[in-house]
Amino acid sequence: LTAEEIYYNSPAGLLYEQALKHEAGSAIVSTGALAVKSGKKMGRSPLDKRVVFEESSADDVWWGKINMKLEMNSFLTNRERAVDYLNTRERLYVVDGFGGWEKEYREPVRVITSRAYHALFMQNMLVPPTKDELKEFEAGAAKKPFVILNAGVFPCNRQTAGMTSSTSVSVSFSRREMVILGTQYAGEMKKGVFTIMNYLMPLRPKRDLPPAERALPLHASANIGPNNDVSIFFGLSGTGKTTLSADPKRDLIGDDEHVWHKGGVFNIEGGCYAKCIGLKRETEPEIYDAIRFGAVLENVVYNEDTYEVDYDDTSLTENTRVSYPLQFIQNARIPA
């Protein structure tokens, strides 16, 4: 990549400044959170997601309507298109972090994007590395980071084999890369990390162990009581996982993605991604109070005089969202 300016694991204030300068529709709302717009796509595009068909992973993937095959040539075409687009930008944003809190299981992830809001979002959602742990992202490290090339501002070529629209989210497990084109919705990156962990975790700690002795990735929230009793809440998006797990009498482990193994449960994420529709402090105080400086509000409507957010206004989308780091929840268990 050849951008003149590269912002690496930047502080929230700098990313606020970059978003306000360069990304139309960005604003700081009354609580201090950064409100942003994700463009035409205000939700994920599951029908445009593809997994590269590779000999090394072919027998481990359940192929069908969910996991749709993509040939390597098409993936490389999309990758080249993404890199070419990113190289036209004056500035890029790079975020290094981990998928997973448990050191024995976690995966290093690097995000390269052209939008400051995407960088802040992923700094919230990945597990933040310590200064010493940044060595794990250097060239020659023991494990190559999984790289997400987010060129979502630029469309894919519909004529590329395997494409069904101008949007493409594709992953190659052998190359340890994901390419995003044609969608600026930040949730694609978050779910991209979950896709990676869904593939890798059932093979840990060793592929040849019985299933009960290997790790199980979960689309679920989790919290823990005073006696280390863990509750897991399973459910699809919008069914109440985030709300139920934010219990003032129990410590929060996480609101959406976890791994369960013989030693316990750990969170894949470093933050939460909560729905905002109808949000009120009276009913969800923990989430409401987390919407402050450093949080990212996606596609919400706010009063342009007072900058107060109207969480009941769904004129843009019903899928209004907020991303914030785990430590914004007062009773979060960290490390998670």
Side-chain angles (χ1 to χ4, degrees), residues 9-316:
N9 280 16
S10 302
L14 189 151
L15 294 174
Y16 267 52
E17 180 183 38
Q18 289 288 305
L20 294 170
K21 275 185 180 179
H22 305 297
E23 298 174 17
S26 301
I28 302 173
V29 298
S30 59
T31 62
L34 179 68
V36 298
K37 299 292 189 291
S38 68
K40 290 181 180 179
K41 297 276 186 175
M42 298 186 186
R44 290 190 297 112
S45 302
L47 297 179
D48 296 309
K49 198 164 186 175
R50 301 288 185 273
V51 178
V52 177
F53 187 79
E54 300 163 301
E55 189 176 333
S56 57
S57 58
D59 294 337
D60 297 323
V61 177
W62 189 352
W63 302 104
K65 291 182 179 180
I66 304 299
N67 299 309
M68 291 181 272
K69 297 178 184 178
L70 184 70
E71 293 301 320
M72 179 60 81
N73 283 345
S74 294
F75 177 83
L76 293 176
T77 298
N78 284 347
R79 183 188 186 279
E80 183 174 0
R81 192 171 175 89
V83 170
D84 286 348
Y85 170 76
L86 293 172
N87 278 333
T88 68
R89 302 299 90 193
E90 290 182 21
R91 62 197 68 84
L92 293 175
Y93 306 90
V94 179
V95 176
D96 283 345
F98 295 104
W101 283 84
E102 188 101 9
K103 289 189 176 183
E104 293 178 13
Y105 291 85
R106 71 187 184 186
E107 284 293 318
V109 176
R110 169 166 290 172
V111 178
I112 303 171
T113 180
S114 62
R115 292 199 62 177
Y117 119 67
H118 287 162
L120 182 56
F121 176 92
M122 287 307 283
Q123 285 183 189
N124 286 346
M125 300 310 299
L126 291 172
V127 178
T130 64
K131 216 171 204 180
D132 287 341
E133 288 171 342
L134 287 175
K135 295 175 185 175
E136 297 184 37
F137 298 88
E138 295 175 355
K143 185 186 288 185
K144 177 191 171 188
F146 221 107
V147 177
I148 298 176
L149 293 164
N150 188 342
V153 180
F154 196 63
C156 71
N157 186 333
R158 292 170 179 263
Q159 304 308 313
T160 301
M163 301 298 102
T164 51
S165 77
S166 60
T167 298
S168 173
V169 180
S170 54
V171 61
S172 164
F173 293 121
S174 68
R175 292 182 61 93
R176 293 177 65 84
E177 291 178 337
M178 174 169 282
V179 175
I180 298 174
L181 290 163
T183 173
Q184 299 173 58
Y185 182 66
E188 294 289 7
M189 295 180 289
K190 165 196 154 61
K191 284 299 181 186
V193 175
F194 192 37
T195 298
I196 294 163
M197 297 296 278
N198 264 308
Y199 169 70
L200 292 173
M201 290 302 99
L203 306 177
R204 302 279 180 82
K206 292 181 180 178
R207 175 191 287 270
D208 56 358
L209 288 173
E213 295 181 28
R214 287 184 267 141
L216 176 67
L218 309 171
H219 187 197
S221 63
N223 60 28
I224 186 167
N227 298 318
N228 282 336
D229 52 307
V230 174
S231 293
I232 300 174
F233 304 90
F234 294 92
L236 299 175
S237 295
T239 54
K241 296 189 301 298
T242 300
T243 302
L244 288 169
S245 58
D247 185 336
K249 296 179 182 178
R250 299 171 65 84
D251 288 352
L252 175 71
I253 300 175
D255 79 324
D256 194 49
E257 302 171 6
H258 293 81
V259 174
W260 190 354
H261 61 89
K262 287 188 74 176
V265 173
F266 68 85
N267 191 353
I268 290 173
E269 301 182 298
C272 300
Y273 192 37
K275 281 183 173 283
C276 293
I277 185 170
L279 183 64
K280 293 178 176 60
R281 194 179 191 285
E282 295 75 23
T283 53
E284 298 179 85
E286 293 82 12
I287 297 170
Y288 192 93
D289 290 342
I291 303 176
R292 49 193 171 95
F293 179 80
V296 179
L297 282 164
E298 211 171 24
N299 300 317
V300 298
V301 177
Y302 55 85
N303 184 302
E304 294 190 1
D305 294 321
T306 65
Y307 288 87
E308 292 182 357
V309 178
D310 182 353
Y311 294 112
D312 293 319
D313 190 328
T314 57
S315 57
L316 289 177

